[in-house]
């Protein structure tokens, strides 16, 4: 019997025995299903070619089925994952596998909570530890192990955890462990100051395979770049607190990573041949300072946010690359927008050198108008500009029938850094993107949404226009027609994939149907290459051409 | 409350153990094994010069005990705006699609083996290639390969005779693959800064004389038993490419079934 089957049997035993032992308690079962089926249609004109799905594996699918049960003091859950010719793991690759994705069992005993199996949690804002899931990028960093939480008093909670970080259907070599103390305090004469202090630490112990890999790399370094020794273990610590006083809310977090070996892309390695090669493993401290200050009163909200990151590439295995094996999560520092063109260029958090600020203002001019201003600025610690954005949005809602937005975005985007393209032939992308978004409700059931966006830029693919019309018949149907058109292309850009570029229309036609707690969508999509960000994590995705059928259902 | 803080601090410091790894000095491995390093690369791949630098460093350490093959398949392998040549061919495309579908680049397969601790054969970090080459060199070869070349400079006809000798009993079916590589091609290559117009390309896979996945040589091999195969090829006439003095003939033996690992490889240059 396989390990997975054994776990299933054990879990079933626990569930059933608990069920009998909890007579009178009602068992509640709930779950969710999410699935996407893709049919890839090769289109060399947009660069949708040269990956396995366009070269003979046209049908792909991803699906997740969660089933959770809750009975008395016991809670448990399973998730089955299914991937067939999936492009989620690597957008340029094909991934096929299926099996038990996660399982967990949880119970309370007096003031203690125990959980075994897959654990999702975070410390503070997640800088030193965050176990989470982002399905669009196939990120699932659940910890496979155990967690104990102890409620020491009304105001203080303690948590400790240990395990291995999940990777697809197995886990990374090496141990991750940690803990946190979080409190809730009231201070001041009339207890008007609320504090939510916390302290946490995360440690990791490298697996033997990782140590072997590091040794095999480091022993080839020349003497000036050599790291003579490193430890199996390394730790990061974090202190954080929320402070609320009247209309002000402050969150501050300081995190430090004790010296450990990590890969620094800004350094270079001198090969034995004398050639200088980009990137080198170094052994350094790391730190992150992060804070937000908010002020709000009726009709006005102001938030200022800042983050300083230095050498904070903290992974289960330092030899892993891209988004793999990251133990923490660095919050993104730009305005999150849902419009197609204003979200085309997104700055992913930089792990080794970043200084970022963001300010946001929301002002309700009167009952009909709401103004939103946002500005963000991201540089390296050496003051090289990575990203800058100004964003103005005016919401106009004169009555219940009409809801509209008018706005403009101004961006500077360091495409070379964010997308790994050659520096000297990849200029800073600068854009102006005005937009209009109007939602009109004809009746309580019928509505029409129109979006118009124009991105003016002379870099990358050039200027774009995007139009969308969406007709809704509540509560079941929604129809969408949209198109993104490269109205002023940039044919001289050497970074554009062979055959792509030019005045090309990228259309989307979609129909969505909602039935009870299920939502179905069928879409025909042509999508340009771009950076896709979900929850602050980004990656470069190649162009897509084909059909998508999506199902989301809860029960 | 006070005790809880003490416990937490103790947990933290208990983690700070004394498990220190001392990084040893480099020592070359002596071996009869010849390792095949298939690099997925491309001239429009800004990170690929890092792979080139790593391969040249490995060659410096191990010479002809390592045979690199530059596979310009399809992803990021399309010519740059400054390119004179197109290194792509059907063999390279099939190898990339089947050995490393959708990989980021550069990436390498080392003897087509799954290194210990890795999830698959495709190693995407060039820094790790050297260690995995050494791991393969540490394994004794199961077969040896002898390659004889017969080349007529006038007709440009090339005859390749390959003999394979079992050094131990090999129970599985074996395949042979024969590749022609070309060195010293000067052409454009993207790097992290620019398009380098005069980049020195070596080990470029130009063609194969077997199917891309090899052809069956023997169903098994006894210790001391030998098998042979012969191939003929007319070198194309070209003003800039297919220079006989820059060509390398690579022969390797790999498992026909299972993981398809490469058991041994050999390289020969043309003589005039």
């Amino acid at each position: 019997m396989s390990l997975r089957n054994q776990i299933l049997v054990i879990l079933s035993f626990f569930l059933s025995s608990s069920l009998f032992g909890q007579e009178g308690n009602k068992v509640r079962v709930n779950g969710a299903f999410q699935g996407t089926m893709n049919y890839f249609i090769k289109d060399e004109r947009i660069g949708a070619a040269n990956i396995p799905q366009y070269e003979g594996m046209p049908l792909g699918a991803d699906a997740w089925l969660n089933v959770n049960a809750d009975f008395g003091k016991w809670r448990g859950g399973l998730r089955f994952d299914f991937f067939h010719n999936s492009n989620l793991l690597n957008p340029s690759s094909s991934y096929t596998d299926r099996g038990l994705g996660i399982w967990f069992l949880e119970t309370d005993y007096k003031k203690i909570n125990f959980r075994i199996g897959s654990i999702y949690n975070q410390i503070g804002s997640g800088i030193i530890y965050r176990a989470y899931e982002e399905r669009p990028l196939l990120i699932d960093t659940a910890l496979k192990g155990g967690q104990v939480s102890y409620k020491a008093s009304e105001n203080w909670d303690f948590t400790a955890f240990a395990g291995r970080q999940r990777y697809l259907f197995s886990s990374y070599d090496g141990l991750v462990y940690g803990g946190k103390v979080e409190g809730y305090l009231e201070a001041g004469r009339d207890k008007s100051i609320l504090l939510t202090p916390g302290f946490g630490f995360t440690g990791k112990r490298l697996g033997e395979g990782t140590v072997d890999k590091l040794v095999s790399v480091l022993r080839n370094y020349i003497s000036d770049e050599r790291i003579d020794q490193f430890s199996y273990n390394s730790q990061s610590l974090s202190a954080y607190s929320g402070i609320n006083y009247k209309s002000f809310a402050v969150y501050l977090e300081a995190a430090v990573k004790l010296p450990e070996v990590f890969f620094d892309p800004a350094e270079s390695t001198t090969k034995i041949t004398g050639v200088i090669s980009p990137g080198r493993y170094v052994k350094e401290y790391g730190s992150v300072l992060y804070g937000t200050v908010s002020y709000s009163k009726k009709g006005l909200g102001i938030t200022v946010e800042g983050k300083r990151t230095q050498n904070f590439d903290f992974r289960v295995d330092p030899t892993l690359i891209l988004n793999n094996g990251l133990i923490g999560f660095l919050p993104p520092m730009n305005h999150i927008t849902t419009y197609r063109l204003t979200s085309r260029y997104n700055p992913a958090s930089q792990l080794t050198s970043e200084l970022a600020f963001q300010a946001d203002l929301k002002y309700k001019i009167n009952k009909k108008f709401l103004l939103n201003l946002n500005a963000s600025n991201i540089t390296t610690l050496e003051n090289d500009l990575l990203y800058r954005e100004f964003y103005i949005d005016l919401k106009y809602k004169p009555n219940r029938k009409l809801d509209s937005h008018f706005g403009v975005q101004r961006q500077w985007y360091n495409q070379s850094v964010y997308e790994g393209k050659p520096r000297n032939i990849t200029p800073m992308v600068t854009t102006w993107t005005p937009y209009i978004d109007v939602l009109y409700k004809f009746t309580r059931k019928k509505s029409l949404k129109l979006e118009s966006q124009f991105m003016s830029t002379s870099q990358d693919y050039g200027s774009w226009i995007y139009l969308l019309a969406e007709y809704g018949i509540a509560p079941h149907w929604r129809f969408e027609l949209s198109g993104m058109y490269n109205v002023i292309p940039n044919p001289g850009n050497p970074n554009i994939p062979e055959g792509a570029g030019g005045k090309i229309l990228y259309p989307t036609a979609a129909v969505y149907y909602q039935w009870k707690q299920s939502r179905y969508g069928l879409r025909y999509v042509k999508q340009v290459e771009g950076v896709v960000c979900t929850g602050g994590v980004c990656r470069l995705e190649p162009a897509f051409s084909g059909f998508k059928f999506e199902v989301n259902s809860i029960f | 409350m006070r005790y809880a803080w003490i416990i937490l601090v103790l947990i933290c410091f208990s983690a700070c153990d004394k498990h220190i790894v001392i990084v040893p000095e480099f020592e070359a491995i002596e071996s009869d094994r010849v390792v095949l390093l298939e690099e997925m690369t491309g001239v429009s791949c800004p990170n690929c010069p890092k792979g080139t630098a790593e391969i040249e460093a490995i060659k410096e350490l191990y010479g002809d005990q390592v045979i690199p093959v530059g596979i310009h398949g399809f992803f990021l392998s399309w010519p740059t705006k400054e390119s004179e040549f197109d290194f792509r061919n059907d063999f390279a495309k099939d190898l990339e699609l089947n050995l490393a579908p959708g990989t980021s680049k550069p990436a390498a397969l080392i003897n087509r083996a799954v290194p210990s601790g890795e999830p698959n054969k495709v190693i995407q970090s060039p820094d790790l290639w050297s260690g995995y080459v050494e791991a393969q060199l540490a394994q004794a070869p199961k077969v040896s390969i002898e390659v004889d070349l017969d080349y007529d400079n006038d007709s440009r006809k090339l005859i390749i005779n390959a003999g394979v000798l079992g050094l131990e009993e090999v129970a599985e079916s074996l395949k042979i693959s024969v590749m022609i590589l070309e060195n010293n091609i000067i052409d454009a290559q993207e790097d992290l800064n620019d398009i380098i117009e005069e980049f020195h390309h070596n080990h470029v896979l130009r063609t194969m004389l077997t199917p891309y996945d090899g052809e069956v040589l023997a169903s098994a091999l006894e210790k001391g038993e030998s098998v042979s195969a012969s191939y003929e090829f007319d070198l194309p006439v070209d003003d800039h490419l297919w220079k006989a003095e820059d060509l390398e003939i690579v022969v390797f033996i790999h498992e026909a079934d299972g993981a398809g690992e490469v058991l041994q490889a050999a390289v020969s240059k043309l003589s005039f």
Side-chain angles (χ1 to χ4, degrees):
Chain A
M1 188 185 285
S2 73
L3 182 63
R4 287 177 193 161
N5 290 339
Q6 287 179 46
I7 291 168
L8 277 174
V9 170
I10 292 167
L11 198 58
S12 306
F13 173 76
F14 267 98
L15 290 171
S16 56
S17 59
S18 303
L19 205 60
F20 288 117
Q22 298 283 331
E23 246 177 66
N25 279 340
K26 201 171 180 180
V27 178
R28 284 175 297 182
V29 176
N30 60 71
F33 175 79
Q34 181 185 347
T36 303
M37 194 177 288
N38 297 311
Y39 186 77
F40 296 80
I41 301 170
K42 186 173 180 175
D43 185 349
E44 289 183 324
R45 277 198 332 142
I46 66 167
N50 293 332
I51 67 171
Q53 287 85 345
Y54 296 115
E55 306 288 338
M57 301 179 185
L59 195 61
D62 325 296
W64 297 263
L65 173 66
N66 285 80
V67 181
N68 296 324
D70 188 333
F71 38 100
K73 289 184 174 179
W74 290 88
R75 292 170 294 283
L78 301 166
R79 194 189 73 209
F80 295 95
D81 300 353
F82 172 88
F83 307 100
H84 178 75
N85 290 342
S86 170
N87 63 341
L88 285 185
L89 178 63
N90 177 346
S92 305
S93 181
S94 170
Y95 171 60
T96 298
D97 205 350
R98 58 179 170 268
L100 184 63
I102 65 164
W103 65 271
F104 74 91
L105 190 61
E106 188 175 10
T107 190
D108 298 310
Y109 176 73
K110 294 184 178 175
K111 293 180 177 180
I112 305 174
N113 172 273
F114 299 92
R115 178 166 168 142
I116 58 168
S118 303
I119 301 158
Y120 297 97
N121 203 344
Q122 72 177 50
I123 295 175
S125 58
I127 293 169
I128 65 165
Y129 177 73
R130 187 182 183 211
Y132 68 110
E133 186 187 8
E134 285 294 350
R135 289 183 186 172
L137 303 178
L138 201 56
I139 291 174
D140 187 341
T141 59
L143 195 71
K144 295 167 83 170
Q147 176 178 284
V148 181
S149 299
Y150 173 57
K151 192 165 186 59
S153 68
E154 277 296 307
N155 296 340
W156 289 96
D157 292 310
F158 293 76
T159 301
F161 53 83
R164 288 183 166 193
Q165 190 181 97
R166 179 183 187 276
Y167 177 68
L168 300 175
F169 293 101
S170 67
S171 55
Y172 288 117
D173 198 14
L175 182 71
V176 177
Y177 52 88
K180 63 179 177 178
V181 183
E182 290 182 333
Y184 176 85
L185 305 171
E186 294 172 333
R189 249 185 264 167
D190 51 355
K191 295 190 174 177
S192 58
I193 302 173
L194 304 178
L195 295 166
T196 49
F199 172 78
F201 80 95
T202 308
K204 67 172 180 185
R205 182 178 173 79
L206 300 177
E208 291 296 337
T210 302
V211 169
D212 291 345
K213 280 192 280 185
L214 278 176
V215 167
S216 75
V217 174
L218 298 178
R219 70 184 196 145
N220 288 326
Y221 280 9
I222 64 168
S223 57
D224 287 352
E225 298 167 0
R226 196 170 172 77
I227 296 170
D228 293 322
Q229 61 181 43
F230 62 91
S231 173
Y232 272 83
N233 291 298
S234 53
Q235 291 81 29
S236 59
L237 309 166
S238 170
Y240 50 93
S241 185
I243 306 163
N244 286 61
Y245 176 68
K246 293 184 177 174
S247 298
F248 289 92
V250 177
Y251 178 83
L252 296 171
E253 181 165 358
V256 63
K257 180 168 68 89
L258 302 181
E260 64 140 7
V261 175
F262 67 95
F263 187 77
D264 187 346
E267 295 289 341
S268 57
T269 311
T270 309
K271 295 292 175 191
I272 191 171
T273 50
V275 172
I276 307 295
S277 180
R280 173 154 51 96
Y281 286 92
V282 296
K283 187 175 157 188
E284 304 275 358
Y285 275 98
S287 65
V288 176
L289 294 172
Y290 173 67
T292 66
V293 179
S294 303
Y295 172 79
S296 63
K297 67 171 194 177
K298 193 178 178 186
L300 177 66
I302 301 172
T303 301
V304 178
E305 199 173 355
K307 183 179 69 172
R308 183 189 186 278
T309 307
Q310 184 170 24
N311 296 336
F312 218 87
D313 190 331
F314 191 41
R315 296 177 194 259
V316 176
D317 172 349
T319 64
L320 295 171
I321 57 173
L322 304 175
N323 292 325
N324 297 316
L326 288 167
I327 295 174
F329 167 84
L330 300 180
M333 290 291 288
N334 67 308
H335 181 65
I336 305 299
T337 164
T338 55
Y339 295 115
R340 183 70 190 85
L341 293 185
T342 55
S343 61
R344 176 157 167 74
Y345 297 113
N346 264 299
S349 289
Q350 299 296 295
L351 301 176
T352 52
S353 176
E354 188 184 79
L355 185 62
F357 296 98
Q358 182 180 198
D360 190 83
L361 180 145
K362 286 185 175 65
Y363 177 58
K364 190 172 183 179
I365 299 168
N366 55 39
K367 283 188 176 178
K368 295 178 181 175
F369 289 97
L370 176 68
L371 180 68
N372 182 194
L373 302 176
N374 185 278
S376 52
N377 193 74
I378 305 174
T379 64
T380 64
L381 295 178
E382 294 75 34
N383 206 29
D384 295 326
L385 182 63
L386 296 175
Y387 184 79
R388 183 176 293 153
E389 179 182 358
F390 298 106
Y391 192 91
I392 303 172
D393 180 272
L394 183 66
K395 181 180 178 179
Y396 175 59
K397 190 177 180 185
N399 51 49
R400 288 186 177 181
K401 288 200 163 195
L402 181 66
D403 188 351
S404 56
H405 288 260
F406 308 85
V408 63
Q409 179 197 49
R410 174 71 166 148
Q411 275 182 314
W412 290 258
Y413 173 79
N414 194 327
Q415 189 176 30
S416 161
V417 170
Y418 288 117
E419 299 180 18
K421 296 185 171 173
R423 291 183 195 97
N424 299 345
I425 58 170
T426 310
M428 180 80 71
V429 176
T430 57
T431 69
W432 282 103
T433 311
Y435 63 86
I436 300 172
D437 166 12
V438 178
L439 173 67
Y440 187 78
K441 292 179 181 171
F442 298 101
T443 64
R444 288 183 64 186
K445 287 193 168 183
K446 293 179 180 174
S447 65
L448 178 67
K449 180 184 169 76
L450 297 171
E451 270 184 37
S452 172
Q453 302 156 34
F454 176 70
M455 173 182 278
S456 170
T457 179
S458 54
Q459 294 85 35
D460 199 20
Y461 278 70
S463 297
W464 296 92
I465 190 165
Y466 177 84
L467 298 171
L468 173 142
E470 194 177 278
Y471 186 66
I473 307 171
H476 295 303
W477 292 97
R478 195 154 57 86
F479 302 90
E480 178 197 327
L481 264 181
S482 64
M484 187 165 154
Y485 183 63
N486 207 176
V487 62
I488 307 172
N490 181 18
N493 181 359
N495 290 319
I496 294 178
E498 182 187 45
K503 290 190 174 184
I504 297 172
L505 175 67
Y506 296 81
T508 296
V511 55
Y512 303 96
Y513 180 71
Q514 177 94 30
W515 184 68
K516 294 184 178 176
Q517 291 176 302
S518 298
R519 182 174 178 266
Y520 306 89
L522 178 63
R523 295 193 291 150
Y524 171 75
V525 181
K526 280 196 188 292
Q527 187 174 298
V528 68
E529 173 204 65
V531 173
V532 173
C533 295
T534 305
V537 183
C538 304
R539 72 177 178 195
L540 185 65
E541 303 250 354
F544 176 82
S545 167
F547 286 94
K548 287 176 181 278
F549 177 66
E550 298 158 346
V551 180
N552 280 283
S553 184
I554 55 173
F555 51 91
Chain B
M1 199 57 237
R2 186 187 308 158
Y3 300 113
W5 276 99
I6 292 168
I7 291 168
L8 189 68
V9 171
L10 283 175
I11 291 171
C12 182
F13 280 92
S14 68
C16 308
D17 70 354
K18 301 286 186 258
H19 285 87
I20 300 297
V21 179
I22 307 294
V23 179
E25 294 291 331
F26 173 79
E27 281 182 43
I29 295 170
E30 290 184 15
S31 170
D32 293 327
R33 191 84 186 259
V34 178
V35 175
L36 186 77
L37 192 159
E38 292 166 287
E39 184 200 16
M40 302 298 153
T41 187
V43 298
S44 293
C45 162
N47 285 306
C48 286
K50 181 177 171 66
T52 305
E54 189 61 38
I55 282 174
E56 296 307 325
I58 292 171
K59 286 288 285 179
E60 183 77 16
L61 294 171
Y62 289 106
D64 282 346
Q65 274 192 280
V66 178
I67 303 173
V69 179
I71 296 173
H72 295 252
F74 52 86
F75 180 57
L76 296 177
S77 297
W78 48 80
T80 72
K81 305 278 187 204
E82 308 295 338
S83 293
E84 188 178 349
F85 310 119
D86 184 350
F87 296 147
R88 295 174 297 178
N89 56 65
D90 288 343
F91 293 103
K93 182 176 179 178
D94 286 339
L95 285 168
E96 186 174 321
L97 262 177
N98 288 279
L99 293 177
T103 180
S104 62
K105 289 185 175 180
L109 290 90
I110 293 153
N111 271 350
R112 300 184 183 178
V114 180
S116 173
E118 292 288 345
N120 56 53
K121 302 172 184 179
V122 185
I123 313 303
Q124 293 177 320
S125 173
D127 295 287
L128 300 177
W129 297 350
S130 169
Y132 293 142
V133 164
E134 287 162 14
Q136 287 294 312
L137 285 170
Q139 297 176 24
K142 293 180 178 177
V143 300
S144 69
I145 304 172
E146 185 83 29
V147 179
D148 284 324
L149 302 181
D150 184 2
Y151 176 63
D152 185 283
N153 202 25
D154 297 328
S155 66
R156 293 179 64 86
K157 180 176 278 297
L158 171 66
I159 299 170
I160 300 161
N161 295 304
V164 178
L165 175 69
L167 300 177
E168 59 181 72
E169 185 183 337
V170 182
E172 61 262 43
S173 181
L174 297 178
K175 278 187 166 181
I176 184 170
S177 286
V178 180
M179 294 173 162
I180 298 183
L181 316 184
E182 186 161 357
N183 293 323
N184 301 321
I185 305 175
I186 307 300
D187 200 16
Q189 169 71 53
E190 280 193 17
D191 76 353
L192 289 174
N193 290 314
D194 219 330
I195 297 176
I196 305 167
E197 290 184 27
E198 296 190 345
F199 190 84
H200 196 145
H201 294 273
N202 285 324
H203 323 296
V204 178
L205 174 65
R206 304 289 289 128
T207 192
M208 291 182 70
L209 307 188
T210 55
Y212 79 91
D213 56 347
E215 62 185 19
V216 175
L217 181 71
S219 56
L221 208 57
E222 296 291 324
K223 184 178 179 181
E225 183 185 354
S226 65
V227 286
S228 62
S230 186
Y231 301 90
E232 289 186 13
F233 183 66
D234 293 325
L235 297 188
V237 178
D238 189 286
D239 289 341
H240 303 288
L241 300 174
W242 292 105
K243 292 178 184 168
E245 65 272 24
D246 290 331
L247 299 181
E248 288 179 335
I249 313 303
V250 174
V251 177
F252 59 95
I253 303 298
H254 47 112
E255 295 170 348
D257 306 312
E261 280 191 35
V262 175
L263 303 183
Q264 181 68 317
V267 62
S268 282
K269 293 191 174 185
L270 305 189
S271 54
F272 305 94

